[in-house]
Amino acid sequence: MTTAPAVCYSGWDIGGAHLKVARCDNKGRVISAIELPCPLWQGVDQLRRALRTAFDSLANANDRHFVTMTGELVDVFANRQTGVSEILNCLIEYISTDKLSIYGRDGWLSVEQARVQWQFVASMNWLATASFTAASVNEGLLVDIGSTTTDVVPLQNGLPQPQGYDDYQRQQLGELAYTGAIRTPLIALTEQAPFEGRWISLAAEMFATTGDCWCLLNFLDSDQISDRSADGMPWYPAACEQRLARLLGTDADHGSSAQWQLLARWFAEKQLEKITHASLQVLSAHPSLDPQSPVIGAGIGRFIAQQLADRLQRPYLDLAMLYDNHKAAADFAPATALALLAQQQFTQIA
């Protein structure tokens, strides 16, 4: 007698720049977690291409699939409702609707329910991470720093305690900060920088991004980055230095590697300052949050969250500890959280 293959649970996080997929088995063990480039602003065909690659790499015909998204915001779509609908249309080209569930603010939705309740589907990936984390960490401050954005979510009494749910609300409240470890243009952090003892006004161009700084400071390795750099050149140190130099209107040979690293530290400080301000704004709305509760770091930029914990004088907990120390799973936290949440719920039902 042939034994049917065990059901696995695939979590999909469809962003504007990346597709992230995590899988767990029916025991809740993380099997894999990957990130694929998906510049959705260039058209829905980019998502189709990423989906095909993901299925070639990961798919098990017996998988159940659970999806969240933030890509509906990209400017290829007329509005967010259209974006949600178009992403759903793309998904059902590859996944049978009877094996597909969409993550919403109040639980799992079918594809057709997600079309109607699109406001509860759009940009809810942070809530998946927060819900899974709060079940294990009763109280704390979840800080998920991805390539593009930072989510700051207070956890209390075993539940997420956000004040806002959509991006418009969350950007006002400090719960969503548009700064990330790789893709953020450095000109978005500051208009000037110190170099050779002087303040230099920066070119208002996307000549360099935060990924350049964190690579130069050895917090990121080029192998971790699937994004294209600002000039399309690799993420090795000499290229990062040249991109920083362009912001000053000069070339990398104008200064030493030590000088470019010091400049990278300046930008890193400005980014940490921005994330600290957002976190303090969120904490100010939750004065009863235990000051000894941890900062829980998630995302590919969670090394910044560890620095934040020191600033806030709180202990630090790496989300990888909740994912069996699977570092890639913590890099792509919402996708992993979706897979694990689904496994917990649907295994119980079975």
Side-chain angles (χ1 to χ4, degrees):
M1 179 181 294
T2 302
T3 303
V7 172
C8 289
Y9 300 85
S10 290
W12 301 75
D13 182 10
I14 300 172
H18 306 99
L19 172 65
K20 300 169 185 176
V21 192
R23 297 177 75 221
C24 73
D25 63 18
N26 61 1
K27 301 296 185 183
R29 293 182 291 246
V30 177
I31 300 170
S32 59
I34 64 169
E35 177 185 75
L36 298 169
C38 182
L40 192 52
W41 68 88
Q42 295 178 5
V44 179
D45 279 346
Q46 295 290 336
L47 177 55
R48 292 188 176 94
R49 183 176 294 112
L51 287 168
R52 284 194 296 269
T53 301
F55 275 108
D56 288 344
S57 303
L58 299 174
N60 179 320
N62 211 34
D63 277 13
R64 298 187 65 173
H65 301 275
F66 302 86
V67 175
T68 187
M69 65 184 74
T70 58
E72 77 286 341
L73 192 61
V74 300
D75 51 14
V76 72
F77 302 126
N79 51 48
R80 291 180 301 132
Q81 181 177 7
T82 300
V84 170
S85 183
E86 288 296 314
I87 289 171
L88 293 174
N89 287 343
C90 192
L91 283 167
I92 61 178
E93 294 177 19
Y94 297 87
I95 304 172
S96 172
T97 55
D98 64 330
K99 293 185 177 180
L100 178 60
S101 298
I102 312 303
Y103 185 74
R105 174 174 167 178
D106 298 319
W108 305 110
L109 300 173
S110 70
V111 169
E112 291 311 311
Q113 288 171 328
R115 290 188 200 279
V116 175
Q117 301 180 51
W118 67 269
Q119 301 97 322
F120 295 159
V121 169
S123 296
M124 286 291 164
N125 63 347
W126 60 273
L127 186 58
T129 309
S131 297
F132 178 83
T133 305
S136 298
V137 184
N138 188 63
E139 191 161 345
L141 190 70
L142 173 65
V143 182
D144 186 345
I145 304 175
S147 62
T148 308
T149 60
T150 296
D151 295 299
V152 183
V153 189
L155 313 177
Q156 274 187 301
N157 303 316
L159 293 169
Q161 300 290 347
Q163 288 192 301
Y165 281 90
D166 63 31
D167 283 4
Y168 178 71
Q169 295 170 335
R170 298 180 69 237
Q171 284 179 232
Q172 296 175 62
L173 296 163
E175 295 175 355
L176 173 61
Y178 254 87
T179 191
I182 299 171
R183 299 183 68 246
T184 302
L186 296 182
I187 192 65
L189 299 176
T190 180
E191 295 181 352
Q192 61 178 1
F195 196 78
E196 295 183 322
R198 300 178 179 87
W199 288 103
I200 310 295
S201 295
L202 304 179
E205 296 282 355
M206 189 173 163
F207 282 145
T209 66
T210 45
D212 294 309
C213 297
W214 295 116
C215 282
L216 284 177
L217 296 171
N218 297 314
F219 283 95
L220 281 177
D221 188 278
S222 60
D223 293 341
Q224 294 177 268
I225 302 178
S226 62
D227 295 85
R228 185 180 184 274
S229 69
D231 62 2
M233 296 297 289
W235 293 95
Y236 53 75
C240 293
E241 291 173 3
Q242 180 61 26
R243 287 189 286 270
L244 289 185
R246 288 192 183 105
L247 280 175
L248 307 187
T250 189
D251 295 303
D253 59 9
H254 183 102
S256 66
S257 291
Q259 286 176 294
W260 297 121
Q261 286 181 344
L262 192 61
L263 181 61
R265 171 50 58 194
W266 163 257
F267 288 116
E269 174 67 22
K270 299 304 289 184
Q271 182 171 44
L272 180 56
E273 181 182 279
K274 186 170 184 174
I275 294 171
T276 302
H277 288 178
S279 300
L280 288 170
Q281 182 182 355
V282 171
L283 288 170
S284 74
H286 298 271
S288 63
L289 193 71
D290 184 352
Q292 294 305 309
S293 62
V295 169
I296 306 107
I300 196 167
R302 62 189 183 278
F303 55 85
I304 308 173
Q306 187 167 9
Q307 297 174 44
L308 172 70
D310 291 339
R311 288 255 171 126
L312 299 179
Q313 297 183 308
R314 288 176 174 270
Y316 175 73
L317 174 65
D318 196 299
L319 191 64
M321 299 300 293
L322 305 185
Y323 292 161
D324 297 326
N325 207 29
H326 196 302
K327 293 183 179 180
D331 286 349
F332 318 133
T336 308
L338 275 187
L340 294 172
L341 286 169
Q343 181 274 330
Q344 291 170 359
Q345 181 173 340
F346 291 99
T347 300
Q348 289 174 1
I349 291 173

